[in-house]
Amino acid sequence: MTYLKCLTELHKRRRKYGLILQRQPLPTMVQVSPRALMEYGPDFPPQALASWLTWRKFFYDLDNRSAQETGYLFEPILAAAIGGEPKSSRERVVRRSGDNSRGRQVDCWKVLPDGIALAYELKLRVTIAASGQGRFAEELSFAKDCRSSGAKPVLIVLDPTENNKLTELRAAFRRHGGETYIGDDAWGHLEDEAGPTMAAFIERYVRRPVGEISAFEAAIANDPTRRGLMLLDLAAKLDGTELSITLGEHERKIERDEDPSLAGDEPTDD
């Protein structure tokens, strides 16, 4: 039943994103025209620049929605696969050490047969972006809050790329008695905890798709002349209500039916 539940959730999110591709509105000139200050000049006449800014913002909006839906999918199915469940801050299984009346959201809460409670932080990657410093401070305090709440913090990061923030985060978890699993160790831990049936789900529906796409980066490592393996020729065309995206010899057609309610303000770093 857990396998079926996770498979259903995966299908639901893919179906929803398919509808986003159909319905995400094209940006308006009000949204994109200020960006012309960065590129206005003889290289791009106004019509060409307006088109470039619109396409670029449209692809950004799609990518942002894709990232949101991936986050909504990724944590619950991995939590279910390893026998745990997400917990909201309202449930207060982990309380803030500076304010015991407030709880923290936990990606996966799992209680072992011996009564030990594990509080997982599940991450695709840890970036070195300068934005979101407040959020990173929250991540650093998670392990401390878990320990003061009687739970053992466990950090799972699927992307093994090392950087200063990841090093700092690992140190915080270890300092408060937690465990950390990065890259292949993270995948191995998830599959060990999941058991054979759900390990097969993780391998087929999560690890394989991520791994096959990531493999293209390895294919061009230290050889910039092979970058064409990743960057196929790109063409985009809107003909009436049909959007065509062509990458090399591959074409995808999307029948468009815009939904104005999907046009929201741009996300911020606050």
Side-chain angles (χ1 to χ4, degrees), residues 11-21 65 69:
H11 176 74
K12 181 182 76 174
R13 290 293 172 184
R14 286 181 172 178
R15 173 60 179 154
K16 181 179 178 182
Y17 188 68
L19 294 175
I20 290 171
L21 290 175
R65 296 300 302 276
E69 293 301 319

Side-chain angles (χ1 to χ4, degrees), residues 171-185:
F173 271 71
R174 290 171 175 170
R175 185 164 58 250
H176 294 287
E179 298 176 357
T180 63
Y181 300 91
I182 313 297
D184 287 341
D185 288 342

Side-chain angles (χ1 to χ4, degrees), residues 76-167:
I77 65 172
L78 287 186
I82 63 176
E85 59 180 336
K87 293 289 187 180
S88 71
S89 59
R90 292 189 299 273
E91 295 175 90
R92 291 185 290 188
V93 292
V94 171
R95 298 172 183 262
R96 295 180 180 273
S97 51
D99 183 354
N100 235 13
S101 66
R102 298 175 60 203
R104 295 198 60 147
Q105 184 265 337
V106 179
D107 294 338
C108 175
W109 177 262
K110 181 177 181 178
V111 179
L112 300 179
D114 59 6
I116 295 176
L118 304 179
Y120 281 83
E121 177 78 1
L122 303 171
K123 303 181 75 64
L124 288 167
R125 60 194 174 97
V126 174
T127 69
I128 58 173
S131 62
Q133 295 296 335
R135 289 197 297 270
F136 187 63
E138 280 280 287
E139 293 176 6
L140 286 176
S141 64
F142 179 79
K144 178 182 178 182
D145 291 346
C146 289
R147 186 175 184 179
S148 66
S149 301
K152 184 175 185 178
V154 183
L155 175 66
I156 298 286
V157 183
L158 299 183
D159 182 352
T161 305
E162 287 287 349
N163 60 64
N164 291 339
K165 283 191 173 180
L166 177 55
T167 300

Side-chain angles (χ1 to χ4, degrees), residues 199-216:
F201 178 92
I202 292 173
E203 180 64 30
R204 181 172 183 176
Y205 293 109
V206 184
R207 187 175 189 178
R208 186 185 302 171
V210 172
E212 288 186 358
I213 298 301
S214 299
F216 283 95

